[in-house]
Amino acid sequence: MPLMTGTQYVESLKKLTPRVYFEGEEIQSVVGHPLLQPHINSAALTYDAAHDPAYEDLATAVSHLTGKKINRFTHIHQSQEELVKKVKLLRLIAQQTGSCFQRCVGFDALNAIYSTTYDMDKKLNTDYHQRFIKYLTSVQEKDIMLAGAMTDPKGDRGLNPSKQADPDLYVHIVEKNEQGIVIRGAKAHMTGMVNSHEMLIMPTSALAAEDQDYAVSCAVPVDAPGVIHIFGRQTNDKRKFDQMDQGNAEYGIVGGECLTVLENVFVPWDKVFMCGEYEFAGSLVERFATLHRQNYGGCKGGVSDVVTGAAAAIAEYNGAGKASHIRDKLVEMMHLTETLYCCSIACSSEGVKLPSGAYYPSSLLGNVVKQNVTRYIYEIDRLCQDIAGGFIATLPSEKDFNHPDLGQYVRKYFVGKAGYSAEDRYRMARLIENMTGGTALVESMHGAGSPQAQRVMLLRMGNLPHKVKLAQKLAGINTGTAEKEAAAGREK
Amino acid sequence: MDAKFTIGYKFCGNCNPYLDTPGLFRDLKKELREEIEFVYWENAVFDMLLIFSGCPVDCAQRPEFSGPTVVVAGSTLNYIPLAVKDLKRALLQEIKKIAAL
């Protein structure tokens, strides 16, 4: 029955046996491990929101396949309104977690593969779309969490996949037989992979004929034979073994990313959604990228809401809450946050219906969302650090804060305004320190595509020739025969 | 004994609320517990629909219902702006009027 609770989701993870490594040691149980539990808690909220009347309008949808109520993270968008609801859902959950909750990557992969398989079948007379619908129905029914697995390690960025010195630098098909295919390679920066149920593999770039073995899309369980996950080092990751010093102890910072190695992994045909159809690789990549870039005004908007609240709180605890320059910086933070949100709402409202019937955000405006996020998060976080003060970077540890002898000094000398405890000030400082530095910033820069990727798309879709004609017309410049004849026609 | 007047309630998704609508709903239930039965809108039969939206955008999706509907959207009641401090009292009055209490 659809709609797991957060508790049921966590219990379902215990039934899986993914091979996860960190610092050379295999993690025996994902659930309960301090390094991973905050990310599990964040993802669990995507499940619990569906059961809360206060959030249910955003967190659930009606499946166009079955008519049943499902978690929105397993839904194919059926209208512009649903594209908007997606953004609002992301902001809502981000406000609650202050962190990445990972499930949107698989959500976007579902939508991208849905529409691309439809197009493939229409042109090539394949049967991927019906196969995918069967898979999607199962995903909705079981309410599983999917990791969107697109980014290959890529090696020499100047060479196509088939020209790389090591063919495994992009995931590729090494064997096909009657039962299915075997794939080999790795996917990098895999958000939420270790606490997902399955991954959806997609190619990472447009491909040429010689790269057809790299044109592969399929569903793989995270604990399939041959799959290894090497969890990434991230800023302050050892703080997850602390409490107060972690800042956001329940939900962590960023989504928790890993390198997922695929060593000759078998995939049965019913889970294969692209196998050599290289001419559609670019379309799949672009659709996923747009769907994912659409999100950031929602999720980073929600995270920035928390950062803004933290800045206002620490200013008050510091005794500087009424200063006009503080208020002005808070205004700027809110302005930038709502600008990001505006962009995501706009790209959703300008969404279009694809031949498959699924709705898809404006590609141009989706790239605007992400391009702005690559800059504004740095400024929002900079302003927060400005307001908080340098002590966020020099605070003694929580061990010292709680030390029977030393704690008295830490409490005495880090107290702020009367009415607020030193512990309140300490905790808020740690939240700010962890939310505004290191990995959180890099994720905003590169998640869903690096800045240059958006600029390439903006140049492609910005309709520059039309803009040139507008200027020429207003400047009174006749540029061609058609215009001259039209002008001559008007004179007669 | 007459059956109580039944109100079906629905929230928007509270993505960025300006009003604590769950809190307002809790207060409302407390005030009207003798006279009104509140039911969650889904798969329910009710005499009146009450929509709680956390901001004036009021994007809560409406279920199909042809009876009286009261909408709280941010600090507005049926799209009339009110001070937040006056909202609860005005909402109570409106409900009592419709329920003939």
Side-chain angles (χ1 to χ4, degrees):
Chain A
M1 135 119 201
L3 293 181
M4 279 201 273
T5 62
T7 303
Q8 287 169 332
Y9 156 67
V10 174
E11 285 306 304
S12 73
L13 292 180
K14 291 179 184 173
K15 295 181 184 140
L16 304 176
T17 54
R19 289 174 65 193
V20 183
Y21 293 86
F22 181 70
E23 292 190 324
E25 301 285 326
E26 185 166 4
I27 291 177
Q28 296 306 319
S29 170
V30 165
V31 175
H33 195 285
L35 193 67
L36 308 175
Q37 191 60 43
H39 309 303
I40 294 171
N41 294 342
S42 289
L45 227 115
T46 68
Y47 285 90
D48 280 334
H51 294 274
D52 190 332
Y55 306 137
E56 184 244 358
D57 188 74
L58 293 177
T60 64
V62 176
S63 169
H64 74 294
L65 298 174
T66 63
K68 290 183 185 170
K69 187 161 95 167
I70 56 173
N71 193 297
R72 189 172 292 279
F73 282 96
T74 65
H75 185 51
I76 304 298
H77 313 297
Q78 299 295 301
S79 63
Q80 288 170 339
E81 188 191 359
E82 289 203 318
L83 290 171
V84 169
K85 281 190 177 230
K86 175 201 187 194
V87 170
K88 292 186 173 200
L89 172 63
L90 299 178
R91 187 173 191 174
L92 151 69
I93 299 183
Q95 284 193 344
Q96 304 301 312
T97 61
S99 183
C100 169
F101 37 90
Q102 315 127 45
R103 206 171 169 189
C104 65
V105 201
F107 184 15
D108 297 330
L110 281 176
N111 275 269
I113 296 171
Y114 182 89
S115 62
T116 305
T117 52
Y118 182 91
D119 296 344
M120 282 163 63
D121 287 356
K122 277 279 176 255
K123 182 155 183 213
L124 303 174
N125 214 27
T126 44
D127 70 341
Y128 290 118
H129 191 62
Q130 285 309 311
R131 197 187 297 179
F132 185 73
I133 284 177
K134 269 203 192 109
Y135 174 72
L136 173 60
T137 306
S138 167
V139 166
Q140 291 180 350
E141 194 62 32
K142 294 179 196 165
D143 197 11
I144 62 172
M145 177 164 157
L146 300 169
M150 173 167 279
T151 309
D152 292 296
K154 299 202 276 288
D156 183 343
R157 270 72 169 155
L159 296 175
N160 285 358
S162 55
K163 299 279 190 289
Q164 297 285 332
D166 180 352
D168 296 340
L169 286 167
Y170 287 73
V171 169
H172 59 121
I173 303 161
V174 294
E175 184 186 328
K176 292 181 214 176
N177 57 50
E178 277 185 15
Q179 283 72 47
I181 62 174
V182 177
I183 59 174
R184 186 177 176 83
K187 291 292 184 185
H189 330 308
M190 291 291 98
T191 300
M193 173 71 78
V194 303
N195 51 291
S196 292
H197 299 95
E198 296 191 10
M199 67 185 91
L200 275 173
I201 302 267
M202 295 167 282
T204 200
S205 62
L207 297 168
E210 60 263 29
D211 298 320
Q212 61 181 288
D213 287 339
Y214 294 87
V216 58
S217 176
C218 53
V220 176
V222 297
D223 57 356
V227 178
I228 303 167
H229 310 284
I230 306 171
F231 201 73
R233 278 315 304 263
Q234 294 182 316
T235 312
N236 289 345
D237 52 12
K238 292 293 176 73
R239 299 258 189 118
K240 290 179 192 170
F241 296 87
D242 300 325
Q243 253 297 312
M244 286 163 66
D245 283 351
Q246 207 182 146
N248 186 350
E250 191 162 359
Y251 300 111
I253 309 292
V254 300
E257 279 76 13
C258 69
L259 173 73
T260 293
V261 178
L262 303 159
E263 287 274 287
N264 299 325
V265 175
F266 171 73
V267 186
W269 282 115
D270 64 346
K271 299 280 181 69
V272 176
F273 313 119
M274 177 184 277
C275 182
E277 293 85 5
Y278 63 90
E279 59 189 286
F280 283 89
S283 173
L284 178 52
V285 170
E286 186 174 323
R287 291 213 179 136
F288 172 81
T290 297
L291 284 157
H292 205 45
R293 288 168 196 172
Q294 172 205 9
N295 300 345
Y296 274 65
C299 64
K300 295 299 172 285
V303 168
S304 298
D305 288 332
V306 176
V307 170
T308 305
I314 199 77
E316 179 63 17
Y317 299 169
N318 288 350
K322 291 189 173 47
S324 63
H325 72 95
I326 296 285
R327 289 179 175 282
D328 195 59
K329 285 165 187 164
L330 291 170
V331 165
E332 184 62 11
M333 292 172 78
M334 288 187 283
H335 163 231
L336 294 173
T337 300
E338 299 302 340
T339 302
L340 296 176
Y341 180 66
C342 274
C343 290
S344 278
I345 293 296
C347 93
S348 307
S349 301
E350 295 275 281
V352 297
K353 188 175 180 178
L354 295 173
S356 64
Y359 270 73
Y360 174 67
S362 159
S363 203
L364 173 66
L365 298 183
N367 280 279
V368 169
V369 174
K370 185 69 215 313
Q371 180 76 172
N372 283 335
V373 165
T374 67
R375 300 177 191 176
Y376 292 179
I377 296 300
Y378 283 79
E379 180 62 4
I380 290 165
D381 288 357
R382 185 192 73 79
L383 287 166
C384 184
Q385 291 180 355
D386 179 346
I387 290 170
F391 86 113
I392 65 169
T394 65
L395 267 179
S397 74
E398 68 179 70
K399 284 195 170 73
D400 294 317
F401 187 91
N402 294 317
H403 194 273
D405 300 319
L406 301 173
Q408 59 174 320
Y409 299 116
V410 182
R411 286 193 183 82
K412 177 183 167 97
Y413 291 112
F414 283 101
V415 75
K417 184 177 177 181
Y420 300 104
S421 67
E423 182 169 335
D424 288 349
R425 194 162 174 253
Y426 185 101
R427 284 181 175 277
M428 193 56 70
R430 282 293 186 226
L431 182 68
I432 291 170
E433 182 210 0
N434 283 278
M435 283 189 79
T436 64
T439 309
L441 291 171
V442 177
E443 196 280 325
S444 294
M445 173 75 80
H446 290 289
S450 305
Q452 193 55 33
Q454 291 111 51
R455 296 185 85 75
V456 165
M457 294 299 282
L458 283 168
L459 182 62
R460 213 179 93 191
M461 290 184 292
N463 205 3
L464 202 48
H466 171 65
K467 293 170 169 48
V468 168
K469 284 192 184 134
L470 293 173
Q472 286 168 334
K473 183 182 167 207
L474 290 176
I477 298 168
N478 286 326
T479 57
T481 313
E483 286 88 348
K484 286 179 181 158
E485 284 176 353
R490 279 192 293 276
E491 278 172 22
K492 277 185 188 164
Chain B
M1 191 175 84
D2 288 335
K4 277 187 190 175
F5 188 84
T6 310
I7 295 181
Y9 66 94
K10 188 178 197 285
F11 295 95
C12 73
N14 281 288
C15 67
N16 192 28
Y18 285 81
L19 188 72
D20 176 13
T21 49
L24 176 61
F25 177 58
R26 275 194 300 274
D27 288 347
L28 199 69
K29 274 200 301 185
K30 221 187 278 186
E31 295 264 358
L32 294 171
R33 63 175 172 270
E34 303 295 330
E35 304 105 315
I36 303 280
E37 186 183 351
F38 288 95
V39 295
Y40 193 54
W41 67 278
E42 203 171 14
N43 300 321
V45 175
F46 38 83
D47 300 308
M48 186 194 107
L49 178 62
L50 179 52
I51 300 287
F52 288 104
S53 285
C55 80
V57 172
D58 186 29
C59 69
Q61 196 151 345
R62 299 335 194 218
E64 283 211 25
F65 178 70
S66 55
T69 301
V70 172
V71 179
V72 174
S75 189
T76 71
L77 178 63
N78 292 333
Y79 311 110
I80 310 285
L82 289 170
V84 172
K85 63 177 175 58
D86 298 328
L87 189 57
K88 187 172 96 176
R89 184 167 39 87
L91 179 57
L92 280 165
Q93 279 174 353
E94 182 68 17
I95 289 172
K96 286 177 177 175
K97 189 175 84 182
I98 294 172
L101 296 174

